[in-house]
Amino acid sequence: FRSKSGVLAWQEAIFLPAFGTYCLVVFLWGNYEAASTSAKDVGHNTWDFQKMSAISPWELTIGKLFGPTSYVWYSGGLLLTVLAFSYSFTSDLSKLKEIHDIYQTPIIPIIYLVFAGVMGHACALLFSLDSLKRKGNPSFILPFISGIMTSCSILYLAFFADLKNHLIPSQEPMNWNGLKVDPHMFVICSLIYFSFWTLMAIQRNLRAELQYKNSPAVL
């Protein structure tokens, strides 16, 4: 990568490696840890102890989602810092110019990257708990694949979809049921909505495992 003066700009050069490393660390390593959570609990004979403990379903939900993936997010946080620092230097890169024109600041891309990781981990954990509930012997492959697909889908829609077809949010307001809505805010609110219900599904599965009676009311 070369700057306008033709001299290699290290601030510009670190963006793509940091971006790729983040995807490898958070999407592969993170989804692996989330998908194998139930299998490790059963294999280490800690699942029965957890079910008999005084831990609440919500505490167990947050602990299982962010506990095994804590080191992943330590690394991911550092990489996001590097991405935020180097983002302003990428406006001249041919591969990133269109993306930079849409996302003027690194805040929105970083939010998308965080949601891609968290929702992928949540889906992997949910499928892992579901296999534990149905089979008693949790599966790893299907939860891992579901997590990867979720993370990559959000990544694709945010960064790699066809700009001309406006699959990536543009700067122009979108029409939603007659309302003019900022496209970035609409996508972020949608991700929050989907994340909430994924977390609720995890919590309800854990409530059932802890012998709580689930009522029709979610909250």
Side-chain angles (χ1 to χ4, degrees):
F1 308 111
R2 296 187 179 276
S3 62
K4 292 179 179 179
S5 62
V7 179
L8 184 67
W10 66 269
Q11 297 99 327
E12 196 175 70
I14 61 176
F15 182 85
L16 286 178
F19 185 89
T21 305
Y22 177 88
C23 294
L24 290 175
V25 169
V26 176
F27 294 177
L28 291 181
W29 183 22
N31 282 308
Y32 167 80
E33 292 292 341
S36 59
T37 297
S38 297
K40 289 181 179 178
D41 286 339
V42 173
H44 296 161
N45 297 319
T46 60
W47 181 232
D48 289 334
F49 173 78
Q50 293 177 39
K51 291 195 293 184
M52 292 185 294
S53 69
I55 301 175
S56 69
W58 272 119
E59 290 174 336
L60 199 56
T61 299
I62 301 302
K64 284 188 171 297
L65 182 58
F66 294 104
T69 61
S70 57
Y71 286 106
V72 173
W73 284 113
Y74 292 152
S75 303
L78 293 174
L79 291 167
L80 289 175
T81 303
V82 173
L83 289 174
F85 168 75
S86 61
Y87 188 79
S88 60
F89 297 93
T90 63
S91 58
D92 295 328
L93 290 178
S94 59
K95 293 181 179 179
L96 298 170
K97 191 177 187 308
E98 290 183 337
I99 294 176
H100 193 281
D101 289 342
I102 292 177
Y103 305 118
Q104 300 294 326
T105 66
I107 297 176
I108 299 298
I110 286 176
I111 291 175
Y112 288 148
L113 287 173
V114 171
F115 269 110
V118 172
M119 289 192 66
H121 301 170
C123 287
L125 176 59
L126 177 60
F127 276 83
S128 178
L129 291 172
D130 185 66
S131 66
L132 173 64
K133 181 179 179 180
R134 289 187 293 106
K135 301 178 182 179
N137 186 19
S139 172
F140 162 75
I141 300 298
L142 181 60
F144 180 69
I145 293 175
S146 67
I148 290 291
M149 290 180 63
T150 302
S151 297
C152 291
S153 297
I154 297 174
L155 183 73
Y156 173 78
L157 291 175
F159 294 99
F160 299 108
D162 186 359
L163 289 167
K164 295 181 180 179
N165 293 331
H166 301 292
L167 294 179
I168 294 181
S170 65
Q171 297 295 334
E172 299 179 0
M174 60 178 295
N175 191 329
W176 183 68
N177 292 329
L179 299 175
K180 294 294 184 179
V181 183
D182 179 79
H184 299 304
M185 185 59 64
F186 179 81
V187 173
I188 291 173
C189 289
S190 299
L191 291 174
I192 293 173
Y193 177 82
F194 294 133
S195 298
F196 170 77
W197 285 110
T198 305
L199 286 175
M200 287 305 309
I202 295 172
Q203 193 257 5
R204 300 284 279 189
N205 272 278
L206 289 174
R207 278 179 61 88
E209 289 294 327
L210 295 176
Q211 305 301 314
Y212 284 90
K213 184 178 180 181
N214 284 327
S215 66
V218 173
L219 297 176

